[in-house]
Amino acid sequence: MSVQWPANEPARLEALQRYAVLDTLPEQAFDDLTQLAALICQAPVALISLTDARRQWFKARVGFDVREIPRERAFCDQAVRQESLLVIEDTLEDERFRDTPLVVSGPRARFYAGAPLRTGDGFVLGTLCVLDLVPRRLTGTQVEALEALGRQVVAQLELRRQLQELERAARERAASEEYRHLFQHANDAILIFAPEGEIVLDVNDKACEVYGRPREQFIGMSLRAISVDPTRGDHELRRLLRGGTDHHFETTQLRSDGTPIHFQIRSSVIEFRGRSAVLSINRDVTAQVHAQQALARSEEHLRQSQKMQSLGALAGGVAHDFNNLLTVIVASSDLVLRHLPADSRERPHIDDVLQAGRRAATLTRQLLAFGRRQQLARQLIDLNTSIGDVMKLIRRIIGEDIEIEVRPGSGLPLIFADPAQIEQVVMNLAVNARDAMPDGGRLTLETSPVELDAAALADHPHALPGRYARLEVRDTGVGMNPATLARIFEPFFTTKDPGKGTGLGLAVVDGIIEQHEGFLEVASTPGLGTTFRVFLPEEVGERVSSVPGVRVVRGGSETILVAEDEPMVRSLAHEILTGLGYTVLLARDGVEAVEMFREHQRSCDLVMLDVVMPRLGGREAYAQIRALAPDMPVLLVTGYSPELAEQRSPDSDVTLVLQKPYDLELLEGKVREALDRRPASTR
C-alpha cells in the first residue's frame, strides 16, 4: 500500500517536531493512558502511535514489542489522512488492508480502531489505537472512551511541551544570566554588532573602558567610524560571513580621543535577540605592539650604530693616513709661501695647493664627524648665540630667492657643546634646505626650550629625560618620500646631481649631534617641505672647558724630541722647528723615542709624539717617558681624534694635543704653549 500524503503534510510534520516527542523514553502518563484504552476496549493491543514522514513510532505500547514500523504498513496513516475515528471491524474484508504485513503476518490483526490525536490548531499527529486478533465491534461507550482518551493524550503532549518550554526558558534565563556575567566581567573588550553597516548592538564594560566611550554612545554607532582602515574591516567581515566560523585577525581602531589601539580580534556569527549578529572579542595588544616596535627600533638603531662604528673605524684609518699626507702638503705649502716674495709668479700656484690641502682636511674632518670620531672643543654656549654667529654667512650662501626667518626662543637652556660644530650643524641644515628649494621658498630657523620625559624619548633609547634646547629648521621645498627619508643620514647618500654634493652633509650633522648626546627628528612631505628638529641636552653639571687657550707664536732655543714614523712629516717637522731656533732630536717610532729620551733626558725640554707608530705607539711611549720624568711636557700629535680619548690626562698640566694636518702657525703655537706650561723647576 503506497502512502498518500495529506495536503497539509509539511505543516503537520512541523507541528509534530514542535512537541519534540519522537524517539524519547517511555513516560508513565502515556503508558497509563494506553493501558486504560486496552482495558476499556478489552483489546490485547493498544498503542499511542505518532506518524512522521517515513514511519509510525509508538510512544506507549501494550501487547506489542515493536518500537516502530514503516509508514506504508500502518493503519494509522489512514487515520491521519482521514482525521476522524477509524474503525476496521475485519481487516480481511477491507481491501485497503487485507494484504498489509500486519494482517497477513504477525501480529495478524483482524480488528483496528484508532482515535486521531488532533492538536488545538487542527493537526493530526497520530492515533490512540487498539487492535485485536479477531473481528469485532466497539460499543458506543468504548468509542466515546477511546476518543476521550485520545484527547487526553493530546492534552498530555501539550502539557509536556509546555513543561519543556518552561524548563528551557529557565535554563536559558540561567544561561543568559551566566552569559551576562561573563560578558560584563571579561578581561577583553566584547562587541556585538549587526553585519549590515557594522552597527553596534551591545558592548561590555571592558569595551567602554578600552575605547573610552560610555555604553550609550556605543550603541547604534558604526564600527567604521572608529576603524583606522574601514576597508580592511569590511574585508575581514566578508571573510567571516563567507566562512561562518571563528575568524582571527589584527587591526587598529581608535579611542574616543583619537588614540590608536591595536587589537587581536576573534569574531564569530551568533544569533542575538532573534537576528544574525557578529560577536567580536577584541584583545588590546597595544602595549605588546609598542614593545615590538620599540625592540625593532632598538635593533635598527643598533644596526645603524654598528654600521657607523665600522664606517667610523674605516674613516679613522683613512683620516690618519690622509692627515699625514695633508700635513706635508699644507705645512710645506705654508713654508714655501713664507719664503716666496710677495710678487712671485709661483705664489698663486702654491697658494692654490695650500687651499686645496685645507679643503681636503675639511673633508677628512667630515669623515671623522659622521664616524663620531672627531675631537670636540666643548664649552657652555647659548644655542641662539651660535645661530646668530653663523647667520651672516648663511644669508650670503642661501641666495635672495629664499626668504629666511629666524625665531629665537626665550628661556633656552645652556648646552655644553663645541661652537664650531654647532655652527656646522646649522650651516649644513641650511644648505640642505636651500638645495631643496631650487625655485625659491621660505627657510625658518626656530629655537625653543622643551622638557622631555622617558615616554617622549621612547624612540631615542640613548637620550636621557630632562630639558633640551630644540632647533627647528623648516623649508618649503620639494620634500622627501619615505624611501629617501629612511636613507638621508647614510654617508655618501645624495639625491643631488653628480658634482653637487658629497652625501656627507646630513651624515656629519647626525654624527655631531650624537657626539653632543643629542638626537635628531625629521618630518617631510613630498611637495610641502621638510622639518629637521635638533635636540641638545641642557648642561646641568660643571664641566671643564676643552677650548684651547690663546697661542703666542714665537720660537726658542729649547731641545725638542720628535717621534714620527712618516718620513716626510718627520723631515718637515724638523725643518720647521729648527727654522724657529729649536734643537730637534728625531725618532722613527716609540722605541727610539724612549731610548733617545733616556740618553738626552737632561737636555730635553719637550717630547712630541705621534700617537700611531710601529713597534711602540705614542700612548705607550708617553707612559714610559712620564714614568721617567713626570713633569716632562708632552705634545701628542694625531690625525685620528679617538686615540686621545684614552690617552689624555685631564689633571695633567703638561700634556697638549696637536691635530693633523697642521700648518706652520698651528705647530709653532702648540709647541710654544707646551714649553711655556713647563713647571719652573724644569726650565
Side-chain angles (χ1 to χ4, degrees):
M1 181 178 66
S2 62
V3 177
Q4 301 294 321
W5 301 109
N8 66 346
E9 182 66 5
R12 188 194 72 82
L13 292 174
E14 184 178 347
L16 177 61
Q17 291 298 322
R18 284 199 299 269
Y19 285 90
V21 67
L22 294 175
D23 299 310
T24 58
L25 295 174
E27 298 176 46
Q28 189 65 48
F30 294 104
D31 290 345
D32 289 346
L33 290 172
T34 306
Q35 187 69 42
L36 188 57
L39 290 173
I40 292 174
C41 295
Q42 297 180 352
V45 177
L47 304 166
I48 294 177
S49 172
L50 300 170
T51 305
D52 69 6
R54 61 180 180 81
R55 60 178 176 157
Q56 179 178 315
W57 180 81
F58 306 120
K59 174 62 179 172
R61 298 166 294 158
V62 172
F64 197 63
D65 293 332
V66 179
R67 292 292 296 174
E68 62 181 50
I69 60 174
R71 183 169 176 172
E72 62 268 17
R73 296 175 57 187
F75 294 106
C76 292
D77 177 59
Q78 181 64 33
V80 167
R81 287 185 283 110
Q82 182 173 305
E83 298 188 355
S84 60
L85 179 69
L86 174 64
V87 178
I88 305 172
E89 295 179 354
D90 188 348
T91 58
L92 292 179
E93 297 297 327
D94 192 320
E95 62 181 8
R96 295 173 300 176
F97 302 107
R98 64 168 60 126
D99 296 326
T100 63
L102 290 177
V103 174
V104 299
S105 60
R108 296 184 181 277
R110 296 291 300 276
F111 170 80
Y112 171 86
L117 303 178
R118 189 187 309 277
T119 65
D121 46 4
F123 296 108
V124 177
L125 306 181
T127 62
L128 171 62
C129 61
V130 292
L131 292 88
D132 207 337
L133 305 182
V134 296
R136 54 171 292 190
R137 294 180 179 179
L138 293 180
T139 66
T141 301
Q142 288 175 327
V143 169
E144 291 177 2
L146 186 61
E147 289 179 331
L149 289 173
R151 290 192 293 272
Q152 288 300 311
V153 170
V154 173
Q156 190 64 38
L157 285 172
E158 188 65 32
L159 177 61
R160 182 180 183 278
R161 184 180 67 82
Q162 291 175 357
L163 288 173
Q164 287 178 335
E165 289 182 353
L166 288 173
E167 290 173 356
R168 183 169 58 251
R171 287 195 302 270
E172 289 177 353
R173 187 180 303 109
S176 176
E177 291 174 357
E178 181 180 3
Y179 157 78
R180 197 70 195 174
H181 177 80
L182 294 174
F183 179 80
Q184 289 297 354
H185 295 86
N187 290 326
D188 296 322
I190 302 178
L191 299 85
I192 300 174
F193 62 91
E196 305 82 10
E198 301 180 38
I199 303 301
V200 177
L201 304 175
D202 199 4
V203 295
N204 68 348
D205 293 341
K206 188 66 174 182
C208 297
E209 174 190 334
V210 171
Y211 286 91
R213 298 176 184 273
R215 178 173 279 99
E216 298 75 22
Q217 187 183 104
F218 246 130
I219 304 303
M221 75 176 294
S222 172
L223 290 181
R224 294 177 60 85
I226 59 173
S227 177
V228 171
D229 185 359
T231 303
R232 165 80 186 283
D234 293 344
H235 172 72
E236 298 296 345
L237 179 59
R238 286 194 298 272
R239 289 184 61 188
L240 169 66
L241 296 178
R242 282 198 305 268
T245 57
D246 284 359
H247 182 53
H248 301 256
F249 64 98
E250 293 190 7
T251 191
T252 303
Q253 296 177 332
L254 300 175
R255 283 178 55 87
S256 58
D257 60 3
T259 304
I261 322 169
H262 302 280
F263 286 111
Q264 285 180 348
I265 292 183
R266 175 183 176 184
S267 57
S268 57
V269 178
I270 64 168
E271 183 176 336
F272 182 75
R273 297 173 184 168
R275 62 186 295 185
S276 178
V278 175
L279 174 69
S280 181
I281 302 175
N282 300 2
R283 175 159 295 177
D284 183 356
V285 293
T286 304
Q288 295 93 309
V289 169
H290 286 171
Q292 291 170 356
Q293 291 173 343
L295 178 60
R297 287 192 298 268
S298 296
E299 290 174 345
E300 177 59 28
H301 188 274
L302 177 60
R303 283 193 294 269
Q304 184 69 12
S305 296
Q306 290 172 337
K307 181 171 71 174
M308 297 308 293
Q309 287 173 3
S310 299
L311 288 171
L314 175 62
V318 171
H320 176 267
D321 293 336
F322 272 26
N323 282 332
N324 275 334
L325 299 174
L326 291 172
T327 297
V328 176
I329 294 171
V330 171
S332 295
S333 301
D334 199 7
L335 189 61
V336 171
L337 286 173
R338 286 196 178 189
H339 292 89
L340 279 178
D343 58 351
S344 172
R345 295 178 60 183
E346 286 77 19
R347 192 174 188 87
H349 302 296
I350 301 300
D351 190 58
D352 287 344
V353 173
L354 177 60
Q355 297 308 317
R358 286 174 173 166
R359 284 197 295 272
T362 300
L363 180 59
T364 305
R365 284 194 295 272
Q366 288 181 332
L367 287 171
L368 291 172
F370 83 72
R372 287 76 168 160
R373 291 172 176 263
Q374 64 180 337
Q375 185 180 2
L376 300 178
R378 301 176 74 167
Q379 63 188 82
L380 282 175
I381 65 171
D382 183 336
L383 183 57
N384 285 336
T385 301
S386 292
I387 294 173
D389 291 342
V390 79
M391 281 312 300
K392 183 177 180 180
L393 178 58
I394 288 177
R395 292 184 188 278
R396 188 164 65 246
I397 66 173
I398 290 300
E400 296 181 354
D401 58 341
I402 294 177
E403 180 184 354
I404 302 176
E405 181 180 8
V406 180
R407 300 177 182 175
S410 60
L412 217 59
L414 294 178
I415 59 176
F416 190 65
D418 183 332
Q421 297 301 320
I422 298 304
E423 290 174 11
Q424 182 72 59
V425 166
V426 178
M427 177 66 71
N428 285 13
L429 292 177
V431 170
N432 189 75
R434 177 201 65 186
D435 294 342
M437 297 184 286
D439 299 322
R442 184 181 186 85
L443 170 63
T444 304
L445 294 91
E446 182 175 1
T447 61
S448 58
V450 290
E451 184 83 28
L452 301 178
D453 57 16
L457 295 171
D459 292 340
H460 309 284
H462 299 293
L464 298 176
R467 294 189 76 219
Y468 283 76
R470 177 175 61 190
L471 165 65
E472 285 195 10
V473 180
R474 299 190 296 272
D475 66 62
T476 57
V478 295
M480 293 176 282
N481 58 36
T484 301
L485 195 61
R487 300 188 60 193
I488 57 173
F489 295 118
E490 292 183 12
F492 309 111
F493 173 76
T494 180
T495 58
K496 300 173 185 176
D497 294 334
K500 293 188 176 181
T502 63
L504 286 175
L506 292 179
V508 167
V509 169
D510 190 39
I512 292 173
I513 297 305
E514 184 169 315
Q515 272 196 288
H516 284 81
E517 297 89 37
F519 62 91
L520 280 162
E521 291 181 348
V522 190
S524 188
T525 304
L528 297 180
T530 300
T531 298
F532 284 86
R533 296 183 182 89
V534 177
F535 295 83
L536 293 165
E538 178 183 26
E539 176 54 35
V540 294
E542 294 185 3
R543 299 203 210 184
V544 178
S545 173
S546 55
V547 179
V550 178
R551 297 193 302 268
V552 178
V553 180
R554 68 179 190 275
S557 58
E558 292 91 344
T559 298
I560 303 173
L561 171 59
V562 176
E564 169 62 60
D565 64 306
E566 177 59 45
M568 288 189 295
V569 177
R570 187 170 63 247
S571 175
L572 182 63
H574 179 270
E575 183 175 356
I576 295 172
L577 294 174
T578 55
L580 292 171
Y582 298 111
T583 299
V584 179
L585 305 173
L586 294 178
R588 291 172 296 182
D589 54 43
V591 173
E592 284 191 5
V594 174
E595 291 174 352
M596 293 183 71
F597 183 77
R598 285 196 178 100
E599 183 179 350
H600 301 280
Q601 180 174 347
R602 290 184 176 276
S603 61
C604 193
D605 299 296
L606 172 66
V607 178
M608 183 172 163
L609 296 170
D610 186 32
V611 174
V612 178
M613 294 184 292
R615 294 210 296 170
L616 188 69
R619 61 169 59 90
E620 293 82 7
Y622 167 87
Q624 293 185 27
I625 290 171
R626 292 299 302 277
L628 296 171
D631 294 331
M632 176 58 59
V634 176
L635 179 60
L636 296 171
V637 185
T638 179
Y640 179 26
S641 303
E643 303 155 349
L644 305 180
E646 301 174 24
Q647 182 65 33
R648 296 193 64 182
S649 301
D651 58 345
S652 173
D653 293 329
V654 292
T655 305
L656 290 177
V657 177
L658 175 61
Q659 181 77 40
K660 293 178 181 177
Y662 50 76
D663 56 18
L664 299 188
E665 182 181 356
L666 185 59
L667 175 60
E668 293 165 355
K670 278 290 185 181
V671 167
R672 191 67 257 168
E673 182 182 356
L675 288 168
D676 290 346
R677 291 172 66 175
R678 289 176 296 166
S681 59
T682 65
R683 299 185 185 183

